[in-house]
Amino acid sequence: MQEPITNKASSTARAAVDNQNIAEHITPPLIAEGTVKARDWVKTIIKQDQIDRYLDEKGGDFIDHPLLESLVSGIDQAWISNLDGSGQTEPSIERVREILEKSKNIKSLDLAEASVLMSVRNPDTWEEMKQTAFAIKKKVYDNRIVTFAPLYLSNRCVNSCTYCGFRQENSGMLRRRVGLDEVRRETQALTRDFGHKRLVVVFGEHPDSDVNYMVNAIDTIYSVQVPTRKGHANIRRVNVNAAPMSIERLSQLKEVGMGTYQVFQETYHRPTFERVHPKGTLKGDYRWRLYCMHRAMDAGIDDVGIGALFGLYDWRYEVLGLISHSRELEKRYNGIGAHTISFPRLEPASNAPELEDKTWQVDDQTFLRIITLLRLCVPYTGLICTARESAAIRNAAVGRGITQMDASTRIGLGAYSERRGAGEQDIEKQQFLLGDNRSLEELIGELADMGHITSFCTAGYRVGRTGDRIMRMLRDCTEGSLCKLNAIITFREWVDDFASDAVKAKCEALIQREFAEAKNKLPQFMPKFEPMYQKTIHGCRDLYL
């Protein structure tokens, strides 16, 4: 790999100073753990030249803070005017529909257009926006919902995020890293007991869970295969939620077969970011985090997932930040934007002082509006609604255009192989508390009742439908055809291998409807699809178009 290009002559010297500052400001609990190794490791992480190379000519970044604040202020003024009947009025329905038409054509909205939609108060207009968002999701992704499970492998962390149970000052948190034998047991449980095919593996930022450990863990996960009723099961897609890394370290993860690389900015509002991520910690460097997806793209990882933690600052600013981030990636990387966007809300966590401040708390109605807006503003991007939320909210989110959900979720280390009860949670062992404890089977049954097929398909990633290719297919609304057929095949697998009789009855009816629809709308694929489907019925696994 070529050495990273830098446009700042002093970057190397400044990096040395910055890393020394970080090492000197590591808080006492980290050193108290006997982590001289951690202090030395911290010095190796941030590479200033891998920030500077992405800045504009004036040394600025792509988050235009004055513009975003101005747009949010304009939204406030529109809402105030609506309340007192003076001055600026609500956007006209004609203007809103003009913007919605752009979304329907699967074109991303700019910040001004997004702010117009955020200014809407009329309930009837919001209902039209909601229906349009759901129609766009069906146009791009059909009626598929992708499922996955999070797998937490370490909770040791060198950071001090004021909203997180993993922060290093939290002495009440039981700390450890999962060994590779336990990684294998956890993977066996996820495949054998639930039938998961896709994971998001979560790591704390700490030398004990550095990139070498990540590589070994991912290798271990991919090596596991378990027998099922009619065939076998294995994990076919390992996505990673981890801290920002250098291009060199990200290249190692690409080589081992990492799927989507997730890093959430948490908040795009820099003053808030610096307040909740104390100075002198790795996470306290706003730009190192902001440009992690640029580095991922340059490392050859073309599926990236961004997100914001709602409740830290004004939700409208965060939505505009997410749109800015996706548009920046598209601009710089040949139209490749965020593969997925996540929008978690703050949840209860162990010894997290930030949770006492409710200033920017997002209520349920606003949360569902956020999903509607994101679907309209970035119509081709996958939207992930996690089990932080309640079952009722997640069911409602399906009707707003989400595409991915986790299920059978356990976020304590070793919690899957421990066979802990669905409702059992221990705040001293996990990052936050969950809101939805449904099993994968329960979720699949409810989605079937709602007319949605659960997709376990991972074919696209293995045949090169990633990056600019998948983005083109999503914008052209052609991706759904192949994924529809692969969803049927993988759903057939899961039903035959894992479904109870009660859920199987619902699933069989859904499969018949999906099969008939595919035969009618996609006859050109039937000569290849039907033999694969029949082989799957007879126990063959992992077949795809």
Side-chain angles (χ1 to χ4, degrees):
M1 174 178 291
Q2 292 181 333
E3 287 297 314
I5 299 171
T6 176
N7 58 7
K8 297 285 187 289
S10 63
S11 63
T12 302
R14 194 160 60 250
V17 173
D18 290 344
N19 285 332
Q20 183 63 35
N21 287 340
I22 290 171
E24 290 174 355
H25 286 85
I26 292 299
T27 51
L30 179 59
I31 295 174
E33 291 178 1
T35 53
V36 174
K37 180 177 77 170
R39 183 182 60 197
D40 293 339
W41 175 82
V42 163
K43 298 177 187 179
T44 71
I45 300 303
I46 296 177
K47 298 181 181 295
Q48 189 65 39
D49 63 310
Q50 293 189 21
I51 299 172
D52 293 340
R53 64 185 293 182
Y54 303 114
L55 303 180
D56 63 27
E57 295 81 0
K58 297 180 180 180
D61 54 57
F62 62 85
I63 294 295
D64 188 336
H65 177 71
L67 174 60
L68 268 57
E69 288 281 35
S70 174
L71 290 170
V72 170
S73 177
I75 296 166
D76 280 336
Q77 290 302 312
W79 280 47
I80 291 169
S81 298
N82 282 325
L83 289 174
D84 64 17
S86 63
Q88 184 179 354
T89 59
E90 179 157 320
S92 69
I93 189 63
E94 291 78 17
R95 178 58 178 145
V96 171
R97 285 174 178 165
E98 179 184 357
I99 295 171
L100 295 183
E101 197 61 34
K102 184 177 179 181
S103 296
K104 290 178 186 178
N105 290 324
I106 319 303
K107 298 184 184 299
S108 58
L109 303 184
D110 61 33
L111 297 179
E113 291 164 332
S115 67
V116 169
L117 296 186
M118 289 185 203
S119 300
V120 171
R121 288 178 60 86
N122 187 296
D124 293 337
T125 307
W126 265 107
E127 181 63 26
E128 184 171 338
M129 290 164 60
K130 183 188 84 171
Q131 292 178 6
T132 302
F134 185 59
I136 289 169
K137 185 270 177 182
K138 289 196 69 175
K139 181 178 180 181
V140 178
Y141 290 94
D142 206 85
N143 64 332
R144 295 174 292 112
I145 297 290
V146 169
T147 54
F148 65 93
L151 175 59
Y152 279 65
L153 294 185
S154 63
N155 62 9
R156 293 172 180 162
C157 191
V158 300
N159 292 309
S160 302
C161 311
T162 60
Y163 51 83
C164 182
F166 285 178
R167 65 193 185 94
Q168 59 173 314
E169 292 85 358
N170 183 10
S171 59
M173 177 66 61
L174 302 174
R175 309 282 184 168
R176 71 186 185 93
R177 184 195 74 177
V178 174
L180 294 182
D181 285 343
E182 192 174 0
V183 171
R184 187 172 291 104
R185 291 196 298 273
E186 288 285 276
T187 306
Q188 289 169 342
L190 282 159
T191 51
R192 177 193 63 233
D193 299 341
F194 306 111
H196 277 292
K197 304 288 189 292
R198 181 187 307 237
L199 301 183
V200 173
V201 186
V202 184
F203 303 91
E205 188 166 21
H206 192 277
D208 284 353
S209 52
D210 66 2
V211 69
N212 296 314
Y213 171 73
M214 293 180 192
V215 165
N216 290 332
I218 293 170
D219 260 340
T220 300
I221 291 167
Y222 278 136
S223 73
V224 172
Q225 181 170 295
V226 299
T228 59
R229 291 179 199 157
K230 296 185 68 173
H232 67 270
N234 61 296
I235 299 300
R236 301 169 188 169
R237 171 82 166 179
V238 179
N239 299 329
V240 169
N241 184 307
M245 284 175 264
S246 66
I247 295 171
E248 294 80 8
R249 286 181 166 110
L250 287 165
S251 297
Q252 291 180 253
L253 292 179
K254 176 178 170 56
E255 290 302 314
V256 80
M258 179 185 71
T260 302
Y261 174 52
Q262 289 185 348
V263 176
F264 304 160
Q265 187 65 23
E266 316 297 14
T267 174
Y268 288 91
H269 186 248
R270 190 164 183 168
T272 299
F273 185 96
E274 292 174 348
R275 178 177 61 79
V276 300
H277 304 113
K279 183 178 180 180
T281 61
L282 281 175
K283 200 164 179 179
D285 192 311
Y286 177 83
R287 284 178 169 171
W288 179 246
R289 198 166 191 88
L290 189 65
Y291 287 101
C292 63
M293 294 314 180
H294 291 62
R295 296 192 296 276
M297 293 285 196
D298 285 339
I301 298 167
D302 52 12
D303 281 348
V304 297
I306 63 176
L309 181 55
F310 284 85
L312 293 177
Y313 188 60
D314 192 314
W315 67 267
R316 297 163 299 181
Y317 190 102
E318 306 297 8
V319 169
L320 294 172
L322 287 166
I323 296 168
S324 299
H325 202 163
S326 188
R327 289 175 67 87
E328 159 72 9
L329 293 173
E330 289 178 19
K331 177 182 175 181
R332 193 179 287 262
Y333 294 102
N334 194 31
I336 306 174
H339 185 67
T340 58
I341 293 178
S342 299
F343 31 86
R345 287 190 282 182
L346 282 173
E347 296 295 340
S350 171
N351 295 322
E354 187 67 27
L355 300 179
E356 297 174 9
D357 186 351
K358 307 295 184 182
T359 304
W360 302 111
Q361 188 173 31
V362 173
D363 61 32
D364 290 348
Q365 181 184 30
T366 302
F367 180 72
L368 294 173
R369 287 189 172 192
I370 288 168
I371 299 172
T372 300
L373 287 164
L374 288 171
R375 173 52 64 213
L376 294 171
C377 292
V378 277
Y380 47 82
T381 297
L383 299 182
I384 301 175
C385 188
T386 71
R388 284 175 179 255
E389 303 299 331
S390 69
I393 289 295
R394 294 219 293 170
N395 286 349
V398 172
R400 268 75 174 178
I402 64 165
T403 59
Q404 294 191 31
M405 302 170 76
D406 54 327
S408 299
T409 300
R410 310 284 187 275
I411 59 174
L413 273 60
Y416 293 107
S417 52
E418 287 176 2
R419 298 176 180 272
R420 194 180 300 163
E424 291 183 46
Q425 299 190 63
D426 188 340
I427 200 167
E428 302 302 340
K429 292 183 178 180
Q430 56 194 65
Q431 191 177 21
F432 51 84
L433 292 180
L434 298 170
D436 186 355
N437 294 308
R438 283 178 294 180
S439 69
L440 177 58
E441 182 176 59
E442 288 172 323
L443 179 64
I444 287 172
E446 291 190 33
L447 289 174
D449 288 337
M450 297 162 65
H452 297 274
I453 185 170
T454 303
S455 176
F456 297 91
C457 174
T458 58
Y461 313 111
R462 291 181 284 170
V463 297
R465 292 195 289 269
T466 63
D468 59 347
R469 186 178 177 192
I470 191 63
M471 287 294 175
R472 287 196 305 270
M473 294 178 72
L474 288 168
R475 289 189 178 95
D476 295 341
C477 301
T478 57
E479 183 262 357
S481 299
L482 291 173
C483 290
K484 174 83 155 183
L485 299 171
N486 288 329
I488 296 172
I489 291 174
T490 57
F491 193 55
R492 175 81 269 165
E493 277 190 42
W494 185 87
V495 170
D496 289 344
D497 286 340
F498 297 100
S500 65
D501 289 343
V503 171
K504 187 172 183 178
K506 297 180 182 181
C507 295
E508 290 290 359
L510 179 60
I511 288 174
Q512 293 308 311
R513 292 197 300 272
E514 296 293 310
F515 198 105
E517 181 181 329
K519 198 167 187 176
N520 180 50
K521 293 184 178 180
L522 304 168
Q524 70 273 28
F525 294 111
M526 288 300 113
K528 288 186 177 180
F529 168 72
E530 290 190 288
M532 287 185 180
Y533 181 78
Q534 290 301 319
K535 287 179 181 179
T536 300
I537 290 176
H538 290 94
C540 289
R541 293 293 176 260
D542 202 15
L543 304 177
Y544 51 84
L545 282 77

